[in-house]
Amino acid sequence: KKNSVATLLREPSNLLKGANVVVFSIVAFVVLSFVLQIMNKSQDDNFSKFHDHESTPGHILVGLRFFLGIFFVYSLHVTIKHQENRGGDRLLAFLRRLMLLGGLWFLSFPLLVFIAGWFAHYLRHRIVSVGVLTLQTISLGILAHQFVSEHSTYFKLSTLADSGVLPGAGGLVRAPKVSKD
């Protein structure tokens, strides 16, 4: 397929060739987010708004984030189902962890905004700010470890180990050149 995710990831330049659904969707999403952010910021003077997403445009932005999180989890779920037929237990384990941790990162913000609605108005900003900062920092830290740690499944599955420059405790460590000819 011309517009399959695998094809687009192999050659990202294809994403911008000609008009296609992916380009239109990305541009529409960026424009919608931009317009909603402007509308949301125009309501900052509202005395009943205790955090950035406590308005109609803010709720729509949170809904978009929720939709992206669900789409991310669903896409990885479909990828895992297709990969199960091919085997590769280590890859499946990595994809499952990515689905869990990436889903937590995407969905922690909408969940906290929803939960904050149950609390008194003066506590909402603190719940959203501290909660999002904490949960997303933990999620991003674990995700970063998933991708760049020398003991991670991604590191073992990818060509990162043979790339020539590895992050090390004492700075950059040059790996010996490995020829795969």
Side-chain angles (χ1 to χ4, degrees), residues 29-158:
F29 182 79
V30 168
V31 169
L32 178 63
S33 296
F34 185 72
V35 168
L36 287 170
Q37 285 289 355
I38 291 172
M39 290 172 61
N40 193 34
K41 285 297 174 188
S42 71
Q43 296 183 9
D44 274 353
D45 293 339
N46 188 345
F47 72 93
S48 64
K49 184 178 172 186
F50 290 90
H51 61 81
D52 281 345
H53 296 86
E54 207 166 26
S55 63
T56 301
H59 287 127
I60 295 170
L61 285 166
V62 171
L64 286 174
R65 176 74 178 259
F66 180 77
F67 170 75
L68 285 175
I70 295 298
F71 182 72
F72 176 81
V73 170
Y74 173 75
S75 297
L76 274 171
H77 177 73
V78 170
T79 302
I80 290 168
K81 289 296 174 199
H82 288 297
Q83 187 61 35
E84 284 176 344
N85 299 333
R86 296 179 179 173
D89 293 335
R90 287 177 20 183
L91 178 59
L92 287 170
F94 169 76
L95 290 174
R96 285 186 183 108
R97 272 193 302 269
L98 179 62
M99 182 173 66
L100 174 69
L101 296 170
L104 283 173
W105 180 81
F106 263 111
L107 298 173
S108 63
F109 176 67
L111 181 65
L112 280 170
V113 170
F114 177 72
I115 289 172
W118 297 342
F119 290 87
H121 290 287
Y122 66 92
L123 293 174
R124 291 179 185 176
H125 177 71
R126 186 175 299 143
I127 290 168
V128 172
S129 299
V130 172
V132 165
L133 232 141
T134 303
L135 288 175
Q136 289 194 354
T137 300
I138 291 168
S139 296
L140 287 174
I142 294 171
L143 278 169
H145 181 70
Q146 276 292 114
F147 284 101
V148 297
S149 167
E150 292 182 24
H151 305 291
S152 73
T153 306
Y154 177 79
F155 185 85
K156 293 172 186 168
L157 290 172
S158 73

